[in-house]
Amino acid sequence: TNKYQWQFGVFGFYQNYKQQSDVDFIAIDSTSIKDVKSPTMGFALYHQSTIKDLFFSNLDLSLGVRYDWEKTRSLTDNTAIKSGTITKKNGTWQKNIFNQVTPKASLQYNIPDHGITYFTVSKGYKSGGFNDLVNPQDSEPRSYDPEHSWSYEIGYKASVLNGLISYDLALFYIDWEKQQIAQPRVIGSGSFLVNAGKSASKGRELNTQINPFKNFSVQLSYGYTHAKFKDYKKSETVVYDDNFLPMVPRNTFSAGANYKWNVNNVLLDNIIFNAQYVGVGKLYWNDANSVDQPFYGVINGSVSFERKNVSFDFWMKNIGSKDYLTYYFASGPKSYGQSSKPFTCGVNICCKF
Protein backbone atom coordinates (compact mmCIF):
# COMPACT_ATOMS: atom_id res chain seq x y z
CA THR A 1 0.00 0.00 0.00
CA ASN A 2 1.02 3.60 -0.50
CA LYS A 3 2.69 5.03 2.61
CA TYR A 4 1.62 8.57 1.68
CA GLN A 5 -2.01 9.57 1.18
CA TRP A 6 -3.47 13.02 0.69
CA GLN A 7 -6.83 14.73 0.32
CA PHE A 8 -7.75 18.20 -0.92
CA GLY A 9 -11.10 19.94 -0.91
CA VAL A 10 -12.89 23.21 -1.47
CA PHE A 11 -16.18 24.44 -0.08
CA GLY A 12 -18.25 27.53 -0.80
CA PHE A 13 -21.61 28.91 0.28
CA TYR A 14 -23.98 31.87 0.00
CA GLN A 15 -26.82 32.53 2.44
CA ASN A 16 -29.39 35.28 1.91
CA TYR A 17 -30.95 35.69 5.37
CA LYS A 18 -34.02 37.90 5.85
CA GLN A 19 -36.18 38.36 8.93
CA GLN A 20 -39.12 40.58 9.88
CA SER A 21 -40.23 40.87 13.49
CA ASP A 22 -43.44 42.63 14.50
CA VAL A 23 -44.19 43.63 18.10
CA ASP A 24 -47.59 45.05 19.05
CA PHE A 25 -48.01 47.21 22.16
CA ILE A 26 -51.78 47.09 22.53
CA ALA A 27 -51.96 49.24 25.66
CA ILE A 28 -50.43 52.25 23.91
CA ASP A 29 -51.74 51.49 20.39
CA SER A 30 -48.25 51.09 18.95
CA THR A 31 -46.49 48.63 16.62
CA SER A 32 -42.79 48.16 16.00
CA ILE A 33 -41.58 46.43 12.81
CA LYS A 34 -37.96 45.47 12.27
CA ASP A 35 -36.72 44.29 8.85
CA VAL A 36 -33.33 42.60 8.82
CA LYS A 37 -31.22 41.58 5.82
CA SER A 38 -27.98 39.71 6.48
CA PRO A 39 -26.41 38.06 3.41
CA THR A 40 -23.32 35.98 4.06
CA MET A 41 -20.87 34.35 1.70
CA GLY A 42 -17.65 32.42 2.14
CA PHE A 43 -15.34 29.65 1.05
CA ALA A 44 -12.86 27.21 2.56
CA LEU A 45 -9.82 25.29 1.32
CA TYR A 46 -8.47 22.28 3.15
CA HIS A 47 -5.72 19.70 2.77
CA GLN A 48 -4.74 16.60 4.74
CA SER A 49 -1.67 14.41 4.38
CA THR A 50 -1.25 11.00 6.03
CA ILE A 51 2.06 9.21 6.40
CA LYS A 52 1.69 5.51 7.24
CA ASP A 53 4.29 3.53 9.22
CA LEU A 54 5.99 6.79 10.23
CA PHE A 55 8.91 5.50 12.34
CA PHE A 56 7.81 1.89 12.61
CA SER A 57 4.98 -0.34 11.47
CA ASN A 58 1.35 0.64 12.32
CA LEU A 59 2.19 4.20 13.41
CA ASP A 60 0.38 6.79 11.25
CA LEU A 61 0.67 10.58 11.25
CA SER A 62 -1.98 12.87 9.76
CA LEU A 63 -1.45 16.61 9.25
CA GLY A 64 -4.17 18.92 8.00
CA VAL A 65 -4.79 22.60 7.43
CA ARG A 66 -7.89 24.60 6.52
CA TYR A 67 -8.35 28.20 5.41
CA ASP A 68 -11.72 29.91 5.90
CA TRP A 69 -12.83 33.24 4.44
CA GLU A 70 -16.24 34.77 5.15
CA LYS A 71 -17.94 38.09 4.44
CA THR A 72 -21.13 39.06 6.20
CA ARG A 73 -23.25 42.18 5.77
CA SER A 74 -26.16 43.50 7.78
CA LEU A 75 -28.95 46.04 7.24
CA THR A 76 -31.72 46.82 9.72
CA ASP A 77 -34.74 49.02 8.87
CA ASN A 78 -37.19 50.06 11.60
CA THR A 79 -40.84 51.09 11.20
CA ALA A 80 -42.94 52.49 14.05
CA ILE A 81 -46.74 52.80 13.81
CA LYS A 82 -48.49 54.78 16.54
CA SER A 83 -52.12 55.86 16.40
CA GLY A 84 -52.09 55.51 12.60
CA THR A 85 -48.88 57.53 12.13
CA ILE A 86 -46.06 55.66 10.35
CA THR A 87 -42.43 56.56 11.02
CA LYS A 88 -39.66 54.84 9.09
CA LYS A 89 -35.98 54.81 9.90
CA ASN A 90 -33.75 53.16 7.34
CA GLY A 91 -30.42 51.75 8.43
CA THR A 92 -27.09 51.61 6.62
CA TRP A 93 -25.23 48.56 5.42
CA GLN A 94 -22.49 47.25 7.70
CA LYS A 95 -19.83 44.77 6.66
CA ASN A 96 -17.38 42.40 8.34
CA ILE A 97 -14.79 40.09 6.79
CA PHE A 98 -13.29 37.17 8.71
CA ASN A 99 -10.53 34.74 7.77
CA GLN A 100 -8.64 32.10 9.68
CA VAL A 101 -6.15 29.25 9.25
CA THR A 102 -6.87 26.18 11.41
CA PRO A 103 -4.32 23.33 11.64
CA LYS A 104 -4.85 19.75 12.82
CA ALA A 105 -2.48 16.92 13.73
CA SER A 106 -3.24 13.32 14.66
CA LEU A 107 -1.01 10.41 15.66
CA GLN A 108 -2.51 6.91 15.56
CA TYR A 109 -1.07 3.53 16.47
CA ASN A 110 -2.81 0.36 15.29
CA ILE A 111 -2.35 -2.44 17.82
CA PRO A 112 -2.29 -5.71 15.83
CA ASP A 113 -5.33 -7.95 16.44
CA HIS A 114 -6.64 -5.66 19.16
CA GLY A 115 -7.47 -1.99 18.49
CA ILE A 116 -6.09 1.50 18.00
CA THR A 117 -4.91 4.33 20.22
CA TYR A 118 -4.69 7.93 19.05
CA PHE A 119 -3.91 11.51 20.01
CA THR A 120 -5.35 14.53 18.18
CA VAL A 121 -4.83 18.27 18.51
CA SER A 122 -6.74 20.79 16.42
CA LYS A 123 -7.61 24.46 16.30
CA GLY A 124 -11.28 25.43 16.10
CA TYR A 125 -12.85 28.58 14.73
CA LYS A 126 -16.31 30.11 14.49
CA SER A 127 -16.68 33.36 12.55
CA GLY A 128 -18.10 36.52 14.07
CA GLY A 129 -21.18 38.37 12.92
CA PHE A 130 -23.89 40.91 13.67
CA ASN A 131 -26.60 41.04 16.30
CA ASP A 132 -29.32 41.91 13.83
CA LEU A 133 -31.99 42.70 16.43
CA VAL A 134 -29.79 45.34 18.07
CA ASN A 135 -30.07 48.90 16.74
CA PRO A 136 -26.92 51.02 16.29
CA GLN A 137 -28.09 53.46 19.00
CA ASP A 138 -28.66 50.69 21.58
CA SER A 139 -26.18 50.08 24.39
CA GLU A 140 -25.92 46.40 23.47
CA PRO A 141 -23.14 45.32 21.08
CA ARG A 142 -24.06 45.50 17.40
CA SER A 143 -21.52 42.83 16.43
CA TYR A 144 -19.44 40.05 18.00
CA ASP A 145 -15.95 38.67 17.33
CA PRO A 146 -14.86 35.23 16.10
CA GLU A 147 -14.52 32.38 18.56
CA HIS A 148 -11.27 30.39 18.79
CA SER A 149 -10.45 27.10 20.47
CA TRP A 150 -7.76 24.45 20.82
CA SER A 151 -8.94 20.86 21.28
CA TYR A 152 -6.92 17.92 22.58
CA GLU A 153 -8.16 14.32 22.58
CA ILE A 154 -6.59 11.00 23.44
CA GLY A 155 -8.45 7.76 22.98
CA TYR A 156 -8.46 4.01 22.62
CA LYS A 157 -10.72 1.75 20.54
CA ALA A 158 -10.76 -2.03 20.76
CA SER A 159 -12.72 -5.21 20.17
CA VAL A 160 -12.20 -8.31 22.32
CA LEU A 161 -13.43 -11.89 22.65
CA ASN A 162 -13.88 -12.32 18.90
CA GLY A 163 -16.15 -9.31 18.62
CA LEU A 164 -18.28 -10.09 21.65
CA ILE A 165 -17.41 -6.71 23.19
CA SER A 166 -16.24 -3.56 21.44
CA TYR A 167 -15.57 -0.31 23.21
CA ASP A 168 -13.91 3.08 22.89
CA LEU A 169 -12.68 5.48 25.55
CA ALA A 170 -11.75 9.13 24.99
CA LEU A 171 -10.42 11.93 27.19
CA PHE A 172 -10.68 15.50 25.91
CA TYR A 173 -9.78 19.07 26.80
CA ILE A 174 -11.00 22.19 24.96
CA ASP A 175 -9.59 25.67 25.59
CA TRP A 176 -11.78 28.52 24.27
CA GLU A 177 -11.03 32.18 23.72
CA LYS A 178 -13.77 34.73 23.00
CA GLN A 179 -16.49 32.09 23.22
CA GLN A 180 -19.79 33.33 21.76
CA ILE A 181 -22.49 33.44 24.45
CA ALA A 182 -26.17 34.35 24.00
CA GLN A 183 -27.56 37.06 26.30
CA PRO A 184 -31.17 38.26 26.70
CA ARG A 185 -31.82 41.82 25.59
CA VAL A 186 -32.41 44.38 28.32
CA ILE A 187 -34.47 46.53 25.96
CA GLY A 188 -36.99 44.83 23.70
CA SER A 189 -37.24 41.12 23.00
CA GLY A 190 -34.85 38.47 21.73
CA SER A 191 -31.20 37.89 22.48
CA PHE A 192 -27.75 38.88 21.27
CA LEU A 193 -24.29 37.31 21.22
CA VAL A 194 -21.29 38.50 23.20
CA ASN A 195 -17.77 37.14 23.61
CA ALA A 196 -16.68 35.67 26.92
CA GLY A 197 -13.01 35.99 27.75
CA LYS A 198 -11.88 32.39 28.23
CA SER A 199 -13.56 29.03 28.86
CA ALA A 200 -12.40 25.46 29.30
CA SER A 201 -14.11 22.09 28.93
CA LYS A 202 -12.71 18.72 29.91
CA GLY A 203 -14.23 15.31 30.22
CA ARG A 204 -14.39 11.69 29.16
CA GLU A 205 -16.58 9.46 27.01
CA LEU A 206 -17.05 5.70 27.08
CA ASN A 207 -19.03 3.69 24.53
CA THR A 208 -19.53 -0.07 24.62
CA GLN A 209 -21.38 -2.55 22.43
CA ILE A 210 -21.99 -6.13 23.52
CA ASN A 211 -23.09 -8.81 21.05
CA PRO A 212 -24.07 -11.81 23.23
CA PHE A 213 -25.61 -13.77 20.36
CA LYS A 214 -26.58 -13.41 16.72
CA ASN A 215 -28.80 -10.43 15.82
CA PHE A 216 -28.88 -9.14 19.41
CA SER A 217 -26.79 -6.26 20.70
CA VAL A 218 -26.63 -4.01 23.75
CA GLN A 219 -25.20 -0.49 23.67
CA LEU A 220 -23.99 1.49 26.68
CA SER A 221 -22.51 4.98 26.68
CA TYR A 222 -21.52 7.50 29.32
CA GLY A 223 -20.10 10.99 29.06
CA TYR A 224 -18.89 13.44 31.69
CA THR A 225 -18.19 17.10 30.89
CA HIS A 226 -16.78 19.74 33.21
CA ALA A 227 -17.10 23.05 31.33
CA LYS A 228 -16.52 26.40 33.05
CA PHE A 229 -15.78 30.03 32.32
CA LYS A 230 -12.19 30.92 33.18
CA ASP A 231 -12.50 34.63 32.44
CA TYR A 232 -15.91 36.19 31.83
CA LYS A 233 -16.56 39.72 33.01
CA LYS A 234 -20.09 40.61 31.93
CA SER A 235 -19.96 44.10 33.45
CA GLU A 236 -18.05 46.08 36.05
CA THR A 237 -20.09 44.48 38.81
CA VAL A 238 -21.02 41.07 37.35
CA VAL A 239 -18.29 38.45 36.96
CA TYR A 240 -19.00 34.84 35.95
CA ASP A 241 -15.52 33.39 36.44
CA ASP A 242 -15.68 29.72 37.48
CA ASN A 243 -19.38 29.41 36.54
CA PHE A 244 -20.49 26.43 34.47
CA LEU A 245 -21.18 26.98 30.77
CA PRO A 246 -24.91 27.11 30.04
CA MET A 247 -26.72 24.27 28.25
CA VAL A 248 -23.82 21.83 28.64
CA PRO A 249 -24.97 18.70 30.54
CA ARG A 250 -22.59 17.44 33.21
CA ASN A 251 -23.53 13.81 32.60
CA THR A 252 -24.99 11.95 29.65
CA PHE A 253 -25.93 8.28 29.77
CA SER A 254 -27.71 5.95 27.40
CA ALA A 255 -28.50 2.25 27.33
CA GLY A 256 -30.11 0.49 24.43
CA ALA A 257 -30.83 -2.96 23.05
CA ASN A 258 -31.65 -4.18 19.55
CA TYR A 259 -32.93 -7.53 18.36
CA LYS A 260 -33.37 -8.46 14.70
CA TRP A 261 -35.73 -11.39 14.07
CA ASN A 262 -35.18 -12.93 10.64
CA VAL A 263 -38.72 -13.94 9.68
CA ASN A 264 -38.01 -14.59 5.99
CA ASN A 265 -41.52 -15.39 4.84
CA VAL A 266 -43.74 -14.10 2.04
CA LEU A 267 -44.84 -11.00 3.97
CA LEU A 268 -41.74 -10.04 5.96
CA ASP A 269 -37.97 -10.30 5.90
CA ASN A 270 -37.20 -8.98 9.39
CA ILE A 271 -38.78 -7.58 12.55
CA ILE A 272 -36.47 -5.28 14.54
CA PHE A 273 -37.12 -4.47 18.20
CA ASN A 274 -35.39 -1.49 19.82
CA ALA A 275 -35.51 -0.09 23.37
CA GLN A 276 -33.49 2.83 24.69
CA TYR A 277 -32.99 4.83 27.87
CA VAL A 278 -31.43 8.31 27.59
CA GLY A 279 -30.36 10.37 30.60
CA VAL A 280 -29.11 13.97 30.64
CA GLY A 281 -28.07 16.40 33.38
CA LYS A 282 -27.38 18.37 35.41
CA LEU A 283 -27.21 21.50 33.25
CA TYR A 284 -27.59 25.24 33.76
CA TRP A 285 -29.73 27.41 31.51
CA ASN A 286 -27.93 30.75 31.99
CA ASP A 287 -24.47 32.20 32.60
CA ALA A 288 -25.33 33.14 36.17
CA ASN A 289 -26.09 29.47 36.98
CA SER A 290 -29.29 30.62 38.70
CA VAL A 291 -31.61 28.29 36.74
CA ASP A 292 -30.82 24.61 36.30
CA GLN A 293 -32.26 21.37 34.94
CA PRO A 294 -31.63 18.35 37.21
CA PHE A 295 -30.71 14.98 35.76
CA TYR A 296 -33.61 13.30 33.98
CA GLY A 297 -34.11 10.21 31.85
CA VAL A 298 -36.59 9.13 29.17
CA ILE A 299 -37.44 5.75 27.66
CA ASN A 300 -37.95 5.31 23.91
CA GLY A 301 -38.76 2.28 21.81
CA SER A 302 -39.61 1.10 18.32
CA VAL A 303 -40.66 -1.94 16.30
CA SER A 304 -39.79 -2.10 12.60
CA PHE A 305 -41.18 -4.45 9.96
CA GLU A 306 -38.97 -4.84 6.89
CA ARG A 307 -39.71 -6.29 3.48
CA LYS A 308 -37.04 -5.77 0.80
CA ASN A 309 -36.74 -1.98 0.30
CA VAL A 310 -39.74 -1.02 2.44
CA SER A 311 -39.93 -0.65 6.22
CA PHE A 312 -42.90 0.09 8.46
CA ASP A 313 -41.75 1.60 11.77
CA PHE A 314 -43.88 2.03 14.86
CA TRP A 315 -42.08 4.28 17.38
CA MET A 316 -42.68 5.57 20.89
CA LYS A 317 -40.94 8.46 22.66
CA ASN A 318 -40.90 9.47 26.32
CA ILE A 319 -42.68 6.36 27.54
CA GLY A 320 -43.94 7.30 31.00
CA SER A 321 -44.35 11.03 30.07
CA LYS A 322 -41.32 12.32 31.97
CA ASP A 323 -41.69 16.07 32.59
CA TYR A 324 -38.60 18.23 32.06
CA LEU A 325 -37.53 21.50 30.42
CA THR A 326 -36.38 21.28 26.82
CA TYR A 327 -35.42 24.98 26.60
CA TYR A 328 -35.32 28.06 28.80
CA PHE A 329 -34.52 31.69 28.07
CA ALA A 330 -35.03 35.15 29.47
CA SER A 331 -36.27 38.12 27.47
CA GLY A 332 -36.13 41.44 29.25
CA PRO A 333 -37.49 41.03 32.78
CA LYS A 334 -39.44 37.86 31.94
CA SER A 335 -38.38 34.22 31.68
CA TYR A 336 -39.81 31.52 29.45
CA GLY A 337 -39.50 27.75 29.34
CA GLN A 338 -40.65 25.00 27.02
CA SER A 339 -41.88 21.82 28.66
CA SER A 340 -41.15 18.38 27.28
CA LYS A 341 -43.60 16.56 25.07
CA PRO A 342 -45.56 13.79 26.86
CA PHE A 343 -45.69 10.22 25.61
CA THR A 344 -45.70 10.36 21.82
CA CYS A 345 -46.07 7.58 19.28
CA GLY A 346 -46.25 7.40 15.55
CA VAL A 347 -45.61 5.48 12.35
CA ASN A 348 -42.98 5.97 9.66
CA ILE A 349 -43.00 4.31 6.26
CA CYS A 350 -39.63 4.27 4.50
CA CYS A 351 -38.78 3.24 0.96
CA LYS A 352 -35.20 2.75 -0.28
CA PHE A 353 -34.30 3.14 -3.91
Side-chain angles (χ1 to χ4, degrees), residues 101-118:
V101 176
T102 50
K104 177 182 180 180
S106 178
L107 196 63
Q108 176 178 297
Y109 178 65
N110 300 288
I111 305 172
D113 302 321
H114 199 284
I116 64 171
T117 182
Y118 65 91

Side-chain angles (χ1 to χ4, degrees), residues 180-289:
Q180 296 168 4
I181 303 294
Q183 294 285 341
R185 296 197 63 195
V186 178
I187 302 174
S189 59
S191 61
F192 62 95
L193 291 178
V194 297
N195 295 96
K198 295 181 180 180
S199 307
S201 175
K202 55 187 176 182
R204 53 189 176 269
E205 296 177 349
L206 174 64
N207 300 291
T208 303
Q209 178 165 313
I210 306 171
N211 306 296
F213 51 86
K214 183 181 178 181
N215 293 339
F216 181 71
S217 63
V218 176
Q219 303 87 32
L220 300 171
S221 66
Y222 173 72
Y224 173 79
T225 302
H226 187 273
K228 283 190 171 185
F229 295 112
K230 296 196 300 182
D231 177 16
Y232 183 15
K233 186 178 181 181
K234 184 179 179 181
S235 66
E236 293 297 326
T237 58
V238 179
V239 178
Y240 290 144
D241 293 6
D242 207 40
N243 278 17
F244 285 96
L245 297 185
M247 292 183 282
V248 178
R250 196 91 53 87
N251 298 278
T252 56
F253 173 78
S254 69
N258 296 277
Y259 177 67
K260 184 177 182 179
W261 179 17
N262 299 125
V263 180
N264 294 326
N265 60 29
V266 178
L267 297 178
L268 287 173
D269 293 333
N270 307 295
I271 301 177
I272 302 174
F273 302 89
N274 173 267
Q276 184 186 50
Y277 172 86
V278 179
V280 177
K282 174 180 181 179
L283 64 83
Y284 292 96
W285 289 112
N286 56 11
D287 304 341
N289 290 178

Side-chain angles (χ1 to χ4, degrees), residues 135-159:
N135 296 314
Q137 68 272 15
D138 294 340
S139 59
E140 298 154 342
R142 184 73 175 86
S143 62
Y144 52 93
D145 294 330
E147 173 183 302
H148 303 273
S149 66
W150 279 99
S151 301
Y152 309 86
E153 182 176 333
I154 185 170
Y156 179 70
K157 301 179 181 180
S159 178

Side-chain angles (χ1 to χ4, degrees), residues 13-210:
F13 75 94
Y14 176 79
Q15 175 180 285
N16 190 17
Y17 174 79
K18 296 181 180 180
Q19 178 183 349
Q20 183 181 80
S21 58
D22 302 358
V23 181
D24 294 325
F25 303 94
I26 300 176
I28 58 175
D29 189 23
S30 176
T31 300
S32 175
I33 303 174
K34 188 184 296 289
D35 289 289
V36 174
K37 298 177 182 177
S38 185
T40 304
M41 63 182 298
F43 71 90
L45 305 172
Y46 67 90
H47 173 81
Q48 178 172 297
S49 292
T50 300
I51 303 174
K52 293 184 172 295
D53 303 328
L54 180 62
F55 298 119
F56 46 83
S57 180
N58 298 320
L59 181 66
D60 301 339
L61 173 67
S62 295
L63 299 174
V65 64
R66 175 180 173 125
Y67 173 76
D68 285 272
W69 181 92
E70 184 173 313
K71 181 174 76 172
T72 178
R73 298 190 299 152
S74 179
L75 173 68
T76 301
D77 295 329
N78 291 282
T79 302
I81 305 175
K82 184 173 178 60
S83 302
T85 302
I86 301 176
T87 304
K88 292 187 175 182
K89 186 175 182 180
N90 295 327
T92 57
W93 282 102
Q94 293 185 298
K95 180 180 72 172
N96 266 332
I97 295 178
F98 306 100
N99 61 85
Q100 181 68 44
V101 176
T102 50
K104 177 182 180 180
S106 178
L107 196 63
Q108 176 178 297
Y109 178 65
N110 300 288
I111 305 172
D113 302 321
H114 199 284
I116 64 171
T117 182
Y118 65 91
F119 174 73
T120 300
V121 56
S122 61
K123 184 176 182 180
Y125 166 77
K126 184 187 293 185
S127 64
F130 292 99
N131 290 311
D132 295 316
L133 295 181
V134 177
N135 296 314
Q137 68 272 15
D138 294 340
S139 59
E140 298 154 342
R142 184 73 175 86
S143 62
Y144 52 93
D145 294 330
E147 173 183 302
H148 303 273
S149 66
W150 279 99
S151 301
Y152 309 86
E153 182 176 333
I154 185 170
Y156 179 70
K157 301 179 181 180
S159 178
V160 297
L161 302 177
N162 294 321
L164 174 64
I165 301 175
S166 59
Y167 62 92
D168 60 85
L169 172 66
L171 306 176
F172 65 88
Y173 179 83
I174 305 174
D175 190 23
W176 275 291
E177 288 191 0
K178 294 187 175 181
Q179 185 178 12
Q180 296 168 4
I181 303 294
Q183 294 285 341
R185 296 197 63 195
V186 178
I187 302 174
S189 59
S191 61
F192 62 95
L193 291 178
V194 297
N195 295 96
K198 295 181 180 180
S199 307
S201 175
K202 55 187 176 182
R204 53 189 176 269
E205 296 177 349
L206 174 64
N207 300 291
T208 303
Q209 178 165 313
I210 306 171

